[in-house]
């Protein structure tokens, strides 16, 4: 609300300019004291129109308006340039292998009862499917060694006539110190024993697997016996590495 003094000052500002300028009529066109104003040329600026009127106090700030609605989406931008060429990747080829299938064989003898001290006892042929596999071999049967003095015998496997080198031979030994000279006899015990191991490096194909008997290094030969009065067997199995 404007105070009474403010309204009075505003009224004076509106009236005074009207008396300060003499109106011109059609006959007073040449009168030097006459000022003519057209509607288009009449001042509209408040300072010019009202002179040096005092400015009133500022009004109360208005409230914030409601948020406007979302604008129209802009047009798509220009596509960017191609990036730098990346490094060459590694080519990885997948190898699909068939699942591993069991491959084994067993050769068995009833009462082999082989009494040699040096040489091949028995053999069993086997078809090996892969060169990168290993062979597990097992001989199980009755073994015996007797002698009147210290002696040693060795039972071992060969593969196509050669002992295993991947990594070492597959063997088993029996050592006997002495018999019973006071009774003029020798110890004669037959026990079921085994010779077992893994051999690597044998090529694929037909393999002759054999069990042999021989002497131990630096010891005399005794009286050996293999497979007496019992079943003897050779078991061969191909295993993946």
């Amino acid at each position: 609300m404007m105070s009474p003094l403010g309204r009075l000052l505003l009224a004076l500002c509106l009236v005074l300019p009207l008396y300060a300028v003499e109106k011109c009529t059609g006959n007073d066109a040449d009168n030097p004291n006459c000022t003519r104003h057209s509607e288009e040329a009449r001042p509209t600026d408040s300072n010019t129109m009202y002179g040096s009127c005092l400015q009133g106090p500022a009004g109360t700030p208005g409230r914030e308006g409601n948020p406007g609605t979302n604008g129209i989406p802009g047009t798509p931008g220009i596509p960017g340039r191609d990036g730098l060429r990346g490094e060459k990747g590694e080519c990885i080829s997948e190898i699909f292998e068939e699942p591993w299938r069991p491959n084994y064989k067993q050769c068995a003898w009833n009462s082999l009862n082989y009494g040699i001290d040096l040489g091949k006892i028995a053999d069993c042929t086997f078809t090996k499917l892969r060169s990168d596999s290993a062979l597990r071999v097992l001989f199980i049967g009755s073994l015996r060694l007797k002698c009147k003095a210290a002696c040693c015998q060795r039972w071992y496997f060969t593969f196509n006539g050669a002992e295993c080198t991947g990594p070492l031979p597959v063997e088993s030994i029996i050592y006997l110190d002495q018999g019973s000279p006071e009774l003029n006899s020798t110890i004669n015990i037959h026990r079921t024993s085994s010779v077992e191991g893994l051999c690597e490096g044998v090529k694929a194909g037909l393999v002759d697997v054999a069990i042999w008997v021989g002497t131990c290094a630096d010891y005399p030969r005794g009286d050996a016996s293999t497979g007496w009065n019992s079943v003897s067997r050779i078991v061969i199995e191909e295993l993946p590495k």
Side-chain angles (χ1 to χ4, degrees):
M1 296 294 292
M2 187 178 293
S3 64
L5 179 58
R7 289 197 296 272
L8 177 62
L9 291 176
L10 179 60
L12 291 175
C13 290
L14 293 174
V15 174
L16 287 177
L18 298 178
Y19 290 95
V21 179
E22 183 180 356
K23 292 185 178 180
C24 298
T25 64
N27 298 327
D28 298 327
D30 297 329
N31 188 350
N33 296 326
C34 177
T35 300
R36 186 183 300 276
H37 294 285
S38 66
E39 291 299 327
E40 293 79 10
R42 182 170 297 173
T44 58
D45 183 72
S46 61
N47 291 333
T48 304
M49 184 175 181
Y50 302 127
S52 59
C53 296
L54 297 177
Q55 184 175 0
T60 304
R63 295 178 301 174
E64 293 184 358
N66 295 326
T69 58
N70 294 331
I72 301 173
T75 56
I78 300 173
R81 297 179 299 175
D82 293 340
L84 299 177
R85 186 180 181 87
E87 297 181 358
K88 185 176 181 180
E90 297 181 359
C91 182
I92 302 177
S93 59
E94 296 185 5
I95 301 176
F96 297 94
E97 296 183 354
E98 294 183 0
W100 183 268
R101 292 178 299 177
N103 182 25
Y104 64 91
K105 184 178 180 180
Q106 174 180 240
C107 296
W109 301 267
N110 186 22
S111 297
L112 185 62
N113 200 18
Y114 210 48
I116 66 170
D117 302 328
L118 297 173
K120 183 192 293 186
I121 299 171
D123 60 5
C124 184
T125 57
F126 179 79
T127 301
K128 193 170 184 286
L129 301 179
R130 299 175 55 165
S131 294
D132 61 348
S133 61
L135 286 182
R136 174 182 176 266
V137 290
L138 166 67
F139 172 82
I140 184 168
S142 173
L143 303 181
R144 189 235 33 208
L145 179 64
K146 69 176 183 176
C147 53
K148 293 183 179 181
C151 61
C152 180
Q153 293 292 118
R154 174 176 176 259
W155 284 260
Y156 59 92
F157 274 101
T158 61
F159 303 85
N160 291 330
E163 290 196 61
C164 179
T165 58
L168 292 170
V170 180
E171 65 177 4
S172 181
I173 67 167
I174 296 179
Y175 170 79
L176 184 63
D177 191 1
Q178 64 181 12
S180 304
E182 67 278 5
L183 300 176
N184 194 20
S185 64
T186 60
I187 297 175
N188 185 17
I189 300 176
H190 296 261
R191 290 189 178 95
T192 298
S193 305
S194 63
V195 185
E196 182 179 6
L198 289 175
C199 187
E200 301 175 359
V202 180
K203 294 182 179 180
L206 195 63
V207 182
D208 179 57
V209 179
I211 185 72
W212 294 62
V213 62
T215 60
C216 304
D218 300 329
Y219 286 93
R221 184 177 68 187
D223 182 9
S225 176
T226 306
W228 177 79
N229 197 30
S230 61
V231 173
S232 303
R233 57 173 38 91
I234 293 176
V235 179
I236 310 167
E237 182 181 8
E238 185 174 8
L239 300 175
K241 292 183 66 176

